[in-house]
């Protein structure tokens, strides 16, 4: 029996409100390029898309790269054009997407990351990408622990997560009672975990990872921020500092966070 969450009736109004628009986050022209690259409608759209922002986290000297949740391999295929890489691998649970990715990547493991991690070489990858992946995991900290041995010494995790403080897509619907799942975006129906920047770092630290530099933020602009009047009303409840941070982050749709092993950070500290 099909779930109500998969029905067009359930999502009809949500899609109209949250369809991708032409801006610096999503371009309909680029979407045409993505579809031309895939030439298939057999998989959901988000398997054939990628965020170019995550590439900013990949070290320039990284030559062996793994993409966890690589979809159809579009991101790493494009990465070959800008980075000198020896090997690019992927993990993808969707069988059709994994088959498409094998046309472009060196090795693709079809399965759940935690289950296929033991098939990957240890101490091998200079960078491991988790682009909008951890929010889909039941236990994201265990996923991080499963792939940690696969990082080369002083390797980097390149992580992107949606921001649950993004006002226009997450907080406003919660306040007006229209909060519901959507086919894509911050309220993607397959999201199991929700993160703020602070809560994500706590989870990462529990898995023995710490920040490896500053996080990048994808801002959507003033019109997506929490209204100043509402923010000011919250000062008496949560304080000026908390409201200031909320306002600063309320138009951030996505955080891009570089991580490194805690043990290697301690070596540098000493």
């Amino acid at each position: 029996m099909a779930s109500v969450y998969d029905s067009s009736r359930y999502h009809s109004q949500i899609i109209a409100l949250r369809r991708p628009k032409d801006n610096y986050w999503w371009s309909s022209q680029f979407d045409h390029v993505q579809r031309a690259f895939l030439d298939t409608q057999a998989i959901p759209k988000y398997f054939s898309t990628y965020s170019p922002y995550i590439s900013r986290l990949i070290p320039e000297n990284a030559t062996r790269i793994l993409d966890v949740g690589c979809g159809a391999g579009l991101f790493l295929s494009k990465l070959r054009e800008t980075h000198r890489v020896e090997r690019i691998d992927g993990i993808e649970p969707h069988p059709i997407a994994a088959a498409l990715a094998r046309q472009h990547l060196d090795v693709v493991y079809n399965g759940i990351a935690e289950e296929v991690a033991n098939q990957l070489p240890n101490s091998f990858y200079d960078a491991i990408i988790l682009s909008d992946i951890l929010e889909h995991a039941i236990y994201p900290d265990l996923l991080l622990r499963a792939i940690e041995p696969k990082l080369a010494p002083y390797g980097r995790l390149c992580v992107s997560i949606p921001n649950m403080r993004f006002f226009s897509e997450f907080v406003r619907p919660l306040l007006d009672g229209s909060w519901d799942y959507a086919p894509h975006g911050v309220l993607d129906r397959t999201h199991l975990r929700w993160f703020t920047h602070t809560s994500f770092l706590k989870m990462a630290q529990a898995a023995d990872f710490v920040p490896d530099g500053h996080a990048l933020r994808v801002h959507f602009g003033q019109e997506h921020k929490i209204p100043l009047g509402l923010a000011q009303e919250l000062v008496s409840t949560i304080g000026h500092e908390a409201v200031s941070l909320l306002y600063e982050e309320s138009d951030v749709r996505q955080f891009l966070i570089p991580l490194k092993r805690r043990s290697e950070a301690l070596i540098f500290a000493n």
Side-chain angles (χ1 to χ4, degrees):
M1 179 181 295
S3 168
V4 65
Y5 293 106
D6 291 326
S7 69
S8 59
R9 177 174 58 85
Y10 183 83
H11 289 298
S12 59
Q13 294 182 350
I14 302 296
I15 292 173
L17 290 171
R18 298 176 184 156
R19 65 184 183 276
K21 298 179 180 179
D22 287 337
N23 55 27
Y24 64 90
W25 179 258
W26 192 296
S27 165
S28 60
Q29 181 180 4
F30 185 60
D31 178 58
H32 174 74
V33 174
Q34 292 165 341
R35 278 304 182 190
F37 170 83
L38 278 176
D39 193 26
T40 181
Q41 300 291 324
I43 57 177
K45 182 176 182 177
Y46 52 75
F47 285 109
S48 63
T49 59
Y50 81 99
S51 166
Y53 302 105
I54 195 70
S55 63
R56 300 182 187 181
L57 300 185
I58 300 173
E60 292 183 2
N61 61 351
T63 60
R64 293 174 294 189
I65 300 172
L66 172 70
D67 189 0
V68 179
C70 66
L74 177 60
F75 174 73
L76 290 184
S77 176
K78 296 290 185 182
L79 195 68
R80 286 190 189 273
E81 301 173 4
T82 57
H83 285 66
R84 295 183 178 180
V85 292
E86 297 175 5
R87 176 166 160 174
I88 52 175
D89 297 345
I91 299 176
E92 175 52 52
H94 195 290
I96 298 178
L100 290 166
R102 289 191 179 101
Q103 302 174 23
H104 308 282
L105 310 186
D106 295 306
V107 180
V108 176
Y109 302 87
N110 179 209
I112 303 298
E114 299 93 320
E115 298 175 358
V116 302
N118 61 353
Q119 301 176 35
L120 278 66
N122 288 328
S123 303
F124 186 75
Y125 297 103
D126 303 310
I128 297 180
I129 300 165
L130 297 113
S131 180
D132 298 324
I133 295 300
L134 293 173
E135 62 271 19
H136 298 270
I138 298 175
Y139 301 111
D141 57 326
L142 298 186
L143 194 162
L144 292 180
R145 289 186 181 277
I147 63 173
E148 181 276 329
K150 313 307 168 182
L151 269 180
Y154 304 102
R156 172 181 283 187
L157 292 186
C158 306
V159 181
S160 67
I161 55 167
N163 174 29
M164 70 172 296
R165 304 182 94 182
F166 183 49
F167 185 81
S168 63
E169 192 171 346
F170 195 100
V171 182
R172 186 191 301 277
L174 180 64
L175 295 176
D176 68 19
S178 64
W179 192 98
D180 228 327
Y181 291 101
H184 48 73
V186 175
L187 287 171
D188 188 301
R189 60 191 173 191
T190 62
H191 287 183
L192 302 177
R193 300 292 179 184
W194 310 99
F195 298 108
T196 65
H197 182 249
T198 300
S199 69
F200 173 79
L201 291 182
K202 288 181 179 178
M203 184 278 294
Q205 289 167 5
D208 290 327
F209 283 96
V210 296
D212 186 18
H214 295 292
L216 304 179
R217 302 177 178 188
V218 180
H219 288 274
F220 263 45
Q222 187 68 33
E223 67 273 21
H224 292 277
K225 284 186 175 294
I226 183 173
L228 277 173
L230 177 57
Q232 291 167 354
E233 289 290 332
L234 293 173
V235 170
S236 61
T237 304
I238 63 176
H240 283 281
E241 185 176 347
V243 168
S244 178
L245 182 59
L246 171 62
Y247 185 79
E248 181 182 341
E249 294 182 350
S250 62
D251 72 326
V252 175
R253 194 172 192 265
Q254 192 169 34
F255 288 106
L256 297 102
I257 305 171
L259 298 175
K260 60 185 174 184
R261 293 182 178 95
R262 184 201 300 271
S263 59
E264 292 171 347
L266 292 174
I267 290 174
F268 279 112
N270 294 328

